[in-house]
Amino acid sequence: ATAFKKSRQLDPHSIAARFNLALTLEEQGQNAAALAVWRELAADSLSRADRIKVDEAIRLLQPPGGN
């Protein structure tokens, strides 16, 4: 995750860097942090394919009740 965090710092608007960071955080069990990154991505203009992936990741990580 460190490399993706650094990449994000260098280009905070990089969809690829944030997408990979969210995936890596999930793999490391840092679900709250991953969900925050997914939500940031959801606020951006995304391709249809990326929008589907981001929405699905949020749905899977979001706690019951939607908060």
Side-chain angles (χ1 to χ4, degrees):
T2 303
F4 292 120
K5 286 179 183 176
K6 179 128 178 106
S7 177
R8 180 180 173 197
Q9 289 172 345
L10 294 173
D11 184 1
H13 301 289
S14 171
I15 290 172
R18 291 181 292 152
F19 196 94
N20 288 318
L21 174 59
L23 288 173
T24 301
L25 290 168
E26 274 189 63
E27 289 173 3
Q28 293 176 344
Q30 298 179 46
N31 292 343
L35 182 57
V37 177
W38 287 125
R39 286 180 172 157
E40 284 178 19
L41 279 164
D44 285 350
S45 294
L46 301 171
S47 69
R48 179 171 161 70
D50 285 344
R51 170 68 55 201
I52 291 168
K53 292 174 189 173
V54 168
D55 289 348
E56 179 67 4
I58 290 171
R59 186 186 69 75
L60 291 172
L61 289 176
Q62 194 164 284
N67 295 327

